[in-house]
Amino acid sequence: QVQLVESGGGLVQPGGSLKLSCAASGRSTTIYNMGWYRQAPGKQREMVATVTSGGNTKYADSVKGRFTISRDNSKNTVYLEMNNLKPEDTAVYFCNAAGSDYGPEWLYDYWGQGTQVTVSS
């Protein structure tokens, strides 16, 4: 069993910054890709950013140049640095991790509980 514990959400003004963190814990489980997804009321969950164990990153077009995803493999922790936040960034942000006890071709998706990010004056 893998548990994802998120922190860092909250209320911030437009143009402000916020940093989210998510730590994955699981005995005998290897964590591969990690990422952040978000879901606003009435909208589908969307990918925000992902990072592989090798450090390759991908971003949604809407956050490129503003958000930075990073990870500490030794701690199985992923971060999301959010800068120049906009009201449309308001959503519940979910941490995601792909893990396996058997190998990279037998992955299971783990999800955090979600943390609220609100961008408002």
Side-chain angles (χ1 to χ4, degrees), residues 14-28:
S17 299
L18 207 60
K19 185 175 183 178
L20 307 181
S21 64
C22 172
S25 62
R27 186 182 301 173
S28 300

Side-chain angles (χ1 to χ4, degrees), residues 45-68:
R45 183 177 299 186
E46 63 176 342
M47 186 273 289
V48 177
T50 61
V51 58
T52 69
S53 59
N56 293 325
T57 60
K58 292 183 179 180
Y59 297 91
D61 289 341
S62 60
V63 307
K64 285 182 179 178
R66 299 189 297 120
F67 291 9
T68 301

